[in-house]
Amino acid sequence: MELRNSSMETSITTNNSMETSIITNSSIAVHYVVGIISDGAKEAIVIINHVVLNSAIGLFGLGANVINMCVFVKQGLNNSMNVSFFATAVSDLCILATLLWLNICLNPFIDNLELPFVFTEVQYLSAGWPHGCAARITVYRVSLKN
């Protein structure tokens, strides 16, 4: 199959190997491979990776950080090392909490709900930004821990 647009001098060619070539007037060929996996397989991979595996690992990390925080409080926060490790556990807890919410937001079944708002924007504002901020705080805290 071949499509040509004479006004923009662009040619799109598709052959049997599921490869699409787009050639523009500047003679640059861009190749796209179409149909490597189906949409159902992609959805299954997203569900398994984000919703199941990442959430399970995140819940384990959340529990471990809560236990660490309890241990450091019980030991007392009068030592600088305990304060430092406690702060690291708190910032990791914030990272994991936002990551768990992000994994819930990445569930493809949420797109099937007919919500009166764009859920991607809610995900971006309530999970993406806080996760980025918490990750930066952890990096700064760990790198300046001398």
Side-chain angles (χ1 to χ4, degrees), residues 1-16:
M1 180 176 109
E2 185 168 340
L3 300 172
R4 291 197 179 267
N5 185 347
S6 60
S7 63
M8 296 177 58
E9 295 184 21
T10 302
S11 171
I12 301 174
T13 308
T14 304
N15 57 19
N16 289 338

Side-chain angles (χ1 to χ4, degrees), residues 28-55:
I28 298 173
V30 180
H31 297 282
Y32 296 99
V33 178
V34 181
I36 292 176
I37 61 172
S38 67
D39 289 338
K42 179 183 161 197
E43 191 172 291
I45 290 170
V46 167
I47 289 173
I48 290 170
N49 283 335
H50 287 290
V51 179
V52 177
L53 293 177
N54 287 347
S55 295

Side-chain angles (χ1 to χ4, degrees), residues 23-111:
I23 302 172
T24 61
N25 56 357
S26 62
S27 299
I28 298 173
V30 180
H31 297 282
Y32 296 99
V33 178
V34 181
I36 292 176
I37 61 172
S38 67
D39 289 338
K42 179 183 161 197
E43 191 172 291
I45 290 170
V46 167
I47 289 173
I48 290 170
N49 283 335
H50 287 290
V51 179
V52 177
L53 293 177
N54 287 347
S55 295
I57 292 169
L59 285 172
F60 175 75
L62 215 93
N65 279 317
V66 168
I67 291 170
N68 284 339
M69 289 169 39
C70 291
V71 168
F72 291 127
V73 166
K74 197 166 205 162
Q75 287 180 352
L77 296 176
N78 51 6
N79 185 354
S80 65
M81 229 23 183
N82 286 351
V83 171
S84 178
F85 287 140
F86 180 79
T88 302
V90 169
S91 61
D92 284 345
L93 186 76
C94 293
I95 288 173
L96 288 171
T98 56
L99 191 62
L100 282 172
W101 174 240
L102 183 67
N103 287 333
I104 292 170
C105 292
L106 288 174
N107 189 339
F109 295 121
I110 289 179
D111 292 336

